[in-house]
Amino acid sequence: MNFLKKYQHTWIIPIYGIFYLWAFQYLEQRNVKPHIIHMKLDDLIPFCEYFIVPYFLWFAYIAVTVIYFSFINKSKQEYYHLVFSLAVGMTTFLVVSYFYPNGQDLRPHLEGNSVFIQLVRYLYHIDTPTNILPSIHVFNSVACCIAVLKHKDFIHEKLVKISTFVLTVLIILATVLLKQHTLVDVAAAFALNAICYQMFYNPHPARAKQPIRAFIK
């Protein structure tokens, strides 16, 4: 009971997670014709199967970051900054995908049987090239990176922040080098991050002392 009371602020994570997975599954399975997003610049970006490694590391990266700010970090304000940023971005993605079904046609024909190619084949099998705008891989990575860079209480702080930044850059590169996303998706994710940053990390002076409470109201 003490554990539940101490961490009652984390209840929103599993509840929203269930909602998001249900909504995403619905969007993936509905029968609608997607609007193809494709820029000429996308064709100039080479395919590189080795970036499947940072692409899959994204799942651990997001999970570890959320767990740290939920259960280890003592600042609940930093926790709310992160989870509200993630929630706004992911909800925006669901709304865009519902009203503007979208997809891409960039995936190449895969040749070879290296472990990296096999992992990319597996990725292509489990993840359809639809509902890509904005890129959640990019948005969540940048949101977590911002939370880490703003935090001051890490052991080996410099190492943690440099490693986080490098991993975030590699994940962003992976989204286009694996032909999972277009440059439009990446740009949209950055724009959405900028909006969330202004909402939660750089609030209006009138609500600067209590940005989260003011936002909820």
Side-chain angles (χ1 to χ4, degrees):
M1 292 300 295
N2 290 335
F3 178 85
L4 294 176
K5 184 176 181 180
K6 182 178 180 180
Y7 298 108
Q8 60 183 343
H9 58 284
T10 64
W11 64 267
I12 191 173
I13 296 175
I15 291 178
Y16 182 81
I18 292 171
F19 161 74
Y20 177 82
L21 291 174
W22 172 84
F24 181 75
Q25 192 69 15
Y26 165 75
L27 291 172
E28 285 285 284
Q29 294 179 351
R30 66 177 182 159
N31 186 20
V32 294
K33 184 178 180 180
H35 298 81
I36 299 300
I37 301 172
H38 193 144
M39 297 178 61
K40 290 184 177 179
L41 287 176
D42 294 319
D43 298 325
L44 301 178
I45 299 174
F47 170 79
C48 183
E49 68 269 24
Y50 303 114
F51 276 83
I52 192 65
V53 176
Y55 191 90
F56 277 145
L57 282 177
W58 176 85
F59 296 95
Y61 170 37
I62 303 304
V64 169
T65 305
V66 171
I67 289 172
Y68 175 84
F69 281 93
S70 300
F71 299 104
I72 300 174
N73 179 34
K74 296 179 180 179
S75 172
K76 287 184 179 173
Q77 185 178 60
E78 290 183 339
Y79 160 80
Y80 284 120
H81 285 163
L82 174 61
V83 297
F84 279 7
S85 293
L86 294 176
V88 169
M90 295 166 74
T91 303
T92 301
F93 162 77
L94 294 175
V95 173
V96 171
S97 297
Y98 181 80
F99 289 104
Y100 181 70
N102 55 81
Q104 51 96 340
D105 56 2
L106 301 173
R107 290 182 173 181
H109 174 70
L110 300 176
E111 297 181 353
N113 288 301
S114 71
V115 63
F116 302 104
I117 289 293
Q118 291 183 43
L119 286 172
V120 175
R121 284 198 182 103
Y122 175 71
L123 172 64
Y124 285 2
H125 175 70
I126 64 174
D127 187 16
T128 66
T130 57
N131 301 316
I132 59 173
L133 180 70
S135 168
I136 288 300
H137 251 67
V138 173
F139 176 85
N140 283 3
S141 296
V142 174
C144 286
C145 187
I146 290 172
V148 170
L149 295 180
K150 299 284 285 186
H151 186 56
K152 301 298 182 182
D153 295 331
F154 288 118
I155 300 175
H156 307 301
E157 180 177 336
K158 188 174 182 180
L159 177 62
V160 171
K161 292 186 175 182
I162 291 175
S163 300
T164 299
F165 179 80
V166 171
L167 178 58
T168 299
V169 171
L170 290 175
I171 291 171
I172 294 170
L173 290 175
T175 63
V176 293
L177 290 172
L178 293 176
K179 302 300 180 178
Q180 280 291 93
H181 286 280
T182 72
L183 291 174
V184 173
D185 312 328
V186 174
F190 274 108
L192 190 53
N193 277 122
I195 293 172
C196 288
Y197 185 88
Q198 291 299 318
M199 291 173 64
F200 303 115
Y201 292 95
N202 189 29
H204 189 278
R207 52 188 176 91
K209 293 183 179 180
Q210 295 177 316
I212 296 299
R213 184 176 300 176
F215 175 77
I216 294 175
K217 289 183 179 180

